[in-house]
Amino acid sequence: MNSRFPTLLMWGPELVMVYNDGYAPMLGARHPDALGRSAPVVWADIWADLAPMVAEVMAGRATYSEDLLLVMTRYGFEEETYFSFSFSPVVEPGGQVAGLLDTVVETTHRVLAARRMAVLQKLGSLPRSVHGNASEAAAAALRVLADARSDCPLGLVYLAGPELGTRPVAAHGVALDDLAGSLLPELVEKAVATGEAQTVTGLDLLLPGFSSVGASPVGETDVHTAVVLPLTLAGQSTPNGALVLGTSPHLRLDEEYRVFLTLAAGQVAAAVADARAVEQERRRADERAELDRARSQFLTEVAVTFQRAVLGPTLLPDGFAVHYEPATGTLEVGGDWYDVVDLPDGSYGVVVGDVVGAGLSAAAVMGQLRSAGRALLLESRSPAHVLAALDRFAALVPGAAVSTVFCAVIDPASGSLRYSSAGHVPGIVVDAEGRSSLLEAAASLPLAVVADLRRPEAELELPPGSTLLLYTDGLVERRDQGLDEGMARAVRALTSGRSLPPAVLADVLTRELLGDAPDDDVAFLLYRRGA
C-alpha cells in the first residue's frame, strides 16, 4: 500500500476497505469514514455496477474497465464520473481468494475535456462570416450547443444594441417567453456593463418553468445553475451582449468547466461580431448603391451569394477539406487550429496555427488567436499585415508568445495565393502534373518574439488542378525521424492522391501519415483549385 498509484484492497467476506492516500480523493466526502468499512456499504450507489465484477474476481478471474461511467453521490449529488480500473484476486496459500485488489485512476477530467473540445471545434467550424445577421449567427451557434446538452443543457443569447438595449434573440432548452419577470435580465445587464461573468443558482426554485430538464448520461434532473458570460471580442472594450449557459446538475462547476464555457462564449462572440461586420458592410454598400447603379447590382449579387452560402449543405466552401486529430495516448486538448474565412471580395482567408503547450490553457490561447486572426482577415487582405497585428495582440495574451501561424489569402478566380509564415512549417503545393514545391519564400519568426518585426509576404499562382496543403508539425514530425523526412512523406502522399476529391484525399493523408499514432495534435487544411 506504499504505492503512489490509487490502490484499494477489499478483504474478507465483508469486503472491508483498506486504501492508500492516492485513493482517498476518489471517495470525496466519504473519506475517512470509509476506511475499514464494507465496500458494498460505502459504494452502495454504484454497487449494482461493481457487484458482477466483484463476483468474477472472487471466482479467480481479473477484470478491466476503461472510462466506465459511474453515477455516484460522493459530494451530495448524483455526479457523472468516469474511471479506468482493474480488479484482481488476492489468493491465500492453498488457492482460496481472500480479497481483491483495485488499481484505479479517475478519467473524468480527460473524458470531459475531449467531449468539450469536440464542441469547441464544431463551433469554430461554423461559416460565421456569411450569416449577415447577428441573431441568425447566435441561433446557429446555439444549435451546436443544443447538441452538447450534457454540458450545456440550456442556453440563451442576449444582444446589445443602441436602439433596443439588451434583448434575447435566440435560445435552446427554454422558450424566450419564459424570461418574463426573471432575474436574468438584471444579471445580463451587469455582465455587459462590467465585462465579468455572473453566476446564478437555484433556478429550479426561483424560476419555476424556466429550468429545462437536462439531457445527461446520468438521467433527468432540473438545471439549477447558470453562468452569464459577456460576449467580448479581442480588441473591443464593450461586450456585444451576453451568453447564458445552464450547467449540468451532475457535474461540479470547477475551473475547467468555467474555462470551457468562456471559450464557447468567445466563439459565439466571434460569430456575432462577424455577422455584424457583414451587416455593416452591406449598409455601406447600400449607401454607395444610391450613387452608382452598376455598383449596386454587384453588391446585390454579393448579398445573394452570401444567402446561398448560408443555405448550403456543407460548412466549408467548395474545394476545401480539413482535419483535426488530438495526440494519441492522451485525451488532453491542445492549441492546433485551422480556419477558413469567406472574404467579401470572393477570396478566402486561410489560417493554420499552433500554440505552445497543451490542455485547456493552450486551447484558451488558441481561441483568442483564432478569433483575432479571423477579425483581422475581414479588415485586411494582406497576410503580412494580419501576422504583424497578431504579433502585437499575442504580446498581450499570456501564453501566446512563440505560437506559429501560416496565413494566406486565396483568390479562386485568378488562382493567386498570397501568404506569410510566422515560424510555421511550410505549406506544400502539388500541381496537376505532380510537380511539388514548398512555400518557404515568406518565412519569419514565431509570434511575439521580436517587437515591431516586419513580416514578409510572397505571392504565386496556383495552376488549375493544383492542391494546397497547410498543416501543423504534428502531421510530419516523429520522434524517430527528422522533420524533412516527414515533409517528404507528406509530399509523396499528396502527389499520389492529387486527382482525388479533397475530402477523400484528407482521409488518405490521415490514414497514411497518422497511422503510426502521432505524439502531437494535428490540424491540416486542403484546397484544390478547379480546372
Side-chain angles (χ1 to χ4, degrees):
M1 303 301 289
N2 290 326
S3 171
R4 296 177 63 183
F5 198 87
T7 306
L8 165 67
L9 183 66
M10 300 186 214
W11 192 257
E14 295 182 358
L15 298 176
V16 174
M17 293 178 57
V18 181
Y19 51 85
N20 64 359
D21 289 339
Y23 185 88
M26 300 181 190
L27 290 160
R30 298 172 180 177
H31 174 74
D33 293 341
L35 191 63
R37 296 182 66 195
S38 173
V41 175
V42 174
W43 290 118
D45 47 354
I46 59 173
W47 196 249
D49 297 308
L50 301 182
M53 304 178 196
V54 172
E56 188 171 349
V57 173
M58 299 308 288
R61 296 181 296 273
T63 69
Y64 177 72
S65 301
E66 184 173 1
D67 294 334
L68 179 66
L69 170 63
L70 294 174
V71 181
M72 57 182 63
T73 55
R74 55 185 175 177
Y75 293 106
F77 67 95
E78 290 187 327
E79 182 184 4
E80 175 188 355
T81 66
Y82 298 87
F83 293 85
S84 293
F85 57 93
S86 174
F87 285 171
S88 305
V90 180
V91 182
E92 290 182 323
Q96 180 72 22
V97 177
L100 65 86
L101 183 68
D102 175 19
T103 52
V104 57
V105 61
E106 182 170 357
T107 59
T108 304
H109 164 79
R110 289 184 291 171
V111 171
L112 296 182
R115 184 171 82 190
R116 292 164 180 173
M117 189 59 185
V119 175
L120 296 175
Q121 288 290 330
K122 290 180 181 179
L123 281 174
S125 298
L126 287 172
R128 297 179 302 215
S129 62
V130 299
H131 281 293
N133 182 287
S135 297
E136 292 178 7
L142 280 187
R143 284 194 291 272
V144 173
L145 294 174
D147 292 333
R149 295 188 64 209
S150 293
D151 290 302
C152 305
L154 63 87
L156 303 100
V157 175
Y158 288 75
L159 293 184
E163 299 178 356
L164 299 176
T166 303
R167 57 189 178 87
V169 297
H172 91 77
V174 63
L176 291 178
D177 294 341
D178 291 339
L179 300 178
S182 76
L183 298 177
L184 283 179
E186 179 181 347
L187 292 175
V188 167
E189 294 291 349
K190 185 175 181 180
V192 172
T194 64
E196 299 178 354
Q198 309 293 318
T199 302
V200 57
T201 60
L203 292 179
D204 50 346
L205 300 176
L206 295 175
L207 305 172
F210 172 77
S211 298
S212 75
V213 177
S216 168
V218 173
E220 303 291 347
T221 306
D222 285 349
V223 177
H224 55 73
T225 300
V227 180
V228 184
L229 303 121
L231 296 179
T232 305
L233 197 64
Q236 292 182 346
S237 58
T238 303
N240 288 326
L243 172 66
V244 180
L245 289 177
T247 63
S248 170
H250 303 296
L251 293 171
R252 288 185 293 170
L253 185 55
D254 55 16
E255 182 62 24
E256 294 212 347
Y257 202 162
R258 290 185 181 274
V259 168
F260 162 68
L261 298 177
T262 301
L263 289 172
Q267 298 284 15
V268 177
V272 171
D274 288 350
R276 285 185 167 175
V278 175
E279 286 178 324
Q280 190 175 27
E281 177 61 26
R282 288 177 176 173
R283 285 194 296 268
R284 289 197 294 263
D286 290 341
E287 293 172 359
R288 291 194 298 268
E290 296 296 330
L291 303 175
D292 189 346
R293 179 180 178 182
R295 184 65 172 168
S296 173
Q297 181 63 33
F298 171 76
L299 293 174
T300 300
E301 293 175 357
V302 171
V304 172
T305 301
F306 282 163
Q307 291 175 348
R308 290 176 178 172
V310 173
L311 299 175
T314 62
L315 294 177
L316 291 170
D318 290 341
F320 283 94
V322 294
H323 180 79
Y324 172 81
E325 186 168 329
T328 301
T330 70
L331 290 177
E332 295 293 339
V333 295
D336 290 17
W337 85 93
Y338 58 76
D339 204 356
V340 179
V341 182
D342 293 323
L343 301 178
D345 62 359
S347 59
Y348 299 120
V350 294
V351 178
V352 173
D354 188 352
V355 172
V356 176
L360 285 176
S361 59
V365 175
M366 175 271 288
Q368 294 183 69
L369 290 179
R370 186 182 189 278
S371 297
R374 174 176 280 267
L376 290 168
L377 275 168
L378 288 171
E379 296 297 327
S380 172
R381 308 297 180 264
S382 168
H385 291 170
V386 170
L387 292 186
L390 275 181
D391 266 328
R392 296 188 292 272
F393 178 74
L396 302 176
V397 178
V402 199
S403 298
T404 66
V405 181
F406 193 105
C407 179
V409 173
I410 301 171
D411 186 340
S414 66
S416 70
L417 170 70
R418 288 180 288 123
Y419 69 92
S420 185
S421 174
H424 204 74
V425 287
I428 302 172
V429 174
V430 173
D431 64 18
E433 303 300 323
R435 294 181 293 267
S436 62
S437 61
L438 300 180
L439 303 184
E440 301 177 302
S444 187
L445 296 173
L447 295 182
V449 173
V450 175
D452 300 324
L453 178 65
R454 185 179 181 85
R455 294 288 180 181
E457 184 171 299
E459 184 172 0
L460 71 153
E461 181 180 347
L462 296 174
S466 297
T467 303
L468 168 68
L469 172 64
L470 303 181
Y471 55 96
T472 56
D473 55 10
L475 183 68
V476 296
E477 192 172 33
R478 297 292 180 271
R479 293 178 182 177
D480 57 349
Q481 65 177 211
L483 186 61
D484 290 340
E485 184 179 350
M487 287 192 293
R489 290 176 58 220
V491 170
R492 290 194 296 270
L494 194 64
T495 302
S496 62
R498 65 186 183 277
S499 61
L500 298 173
V504 177
L505 179 54
D507 292 337
V508 171
L509 294 179
T510 301
R511 183 173 61 254
E512 294 187 5
L513 301 180
L514 301 181
D516 54 350
D519 300 319
D520 195 5
D521 294 344
V522 175
F524 68 79
L525 176 150
L526 284 168
Y527 171 72
R528 171 76 50 72
R529 188 192 175 195

